[in-house]
Amino acid sequence: MTNSKENWRTCEKGHKYYKSSDCPTCPVCEKERKPDTGFLSLLSAPARRALENNGITSLQQLSTYSEKEILKFHGMGPASLPKLRAALETGGLSFKD
């Protein structure tokens, strides 16, 4: 597969990257933003952004949602649920029924 010049992009911080999709997210910036600790550090970038874009940055906030509600967020997939369940259990919490 060859990378066409029209798919090479530069983010506002000056990182150059190739994207085959319309997604505007810079992978370099995304790596820099990833937390080192906490439940958000366990997730893929799309899943983490899905929670952050919906105002969920703590386990307490996460526990106010059902699994079904979480799966409706754009970027959230079923592979993230076991990680989220485990994080909630560690904190003595669970998803809303």
Side-chain angles (χ1 to χ4, degrees):
M1 172 196 227
T2 58
N3 300 337
S4 77
K5 287 190 181 251
E6 55 201 48
N7 289 327
W8 280 100
R9 301 180 188 172
T10 304
C11 77
E12 53 189 47
K13 290 187 176 180
H15 303 128
K16 296 188 185 308
Y17 61 96
Y18 170 79
K19 274 286 182 122
S20 60
S21 71
D22 291 337
C23 176
T25 304
C26 169
V28 179
C29 291
E30 202 55 40
K31 274 186 184 176
E32 291 174 354
R33 264 184 17 84
K34 184 173 182 172
D36 294 328
T37 60
F39 80 103
L40 291 174
S41 69
L42 306 172
L43 302 174
S44 66
R48 188 177 71 250
R49 283 193 307 269
L51 293 179
E52 291 171 339
N53 290 339
N54 285 280
I56 302 170
T57 57
S58 72
L59 288 174
Q60 290 75 19
Q61 291 167 324
L62 181 62
S63 70
T64 65
Y65 290 84
S66 70
E67 290 184 17
K68 217 175 203 180
E69 290 170 320
I70 293 293
L71 285 174
K72 289 181 183 176
F73 296 158
H74 176 76
M76 183 60 68
S80 297
L81 285 180
K83 295 174 186 176
L84 294 175
R85 267 188 234 112
L88 285 167
E89 286 175 20
T90 300
L93 300 166
S94 65
F95 281 109
K96 178 178 90 174
D97 290 329

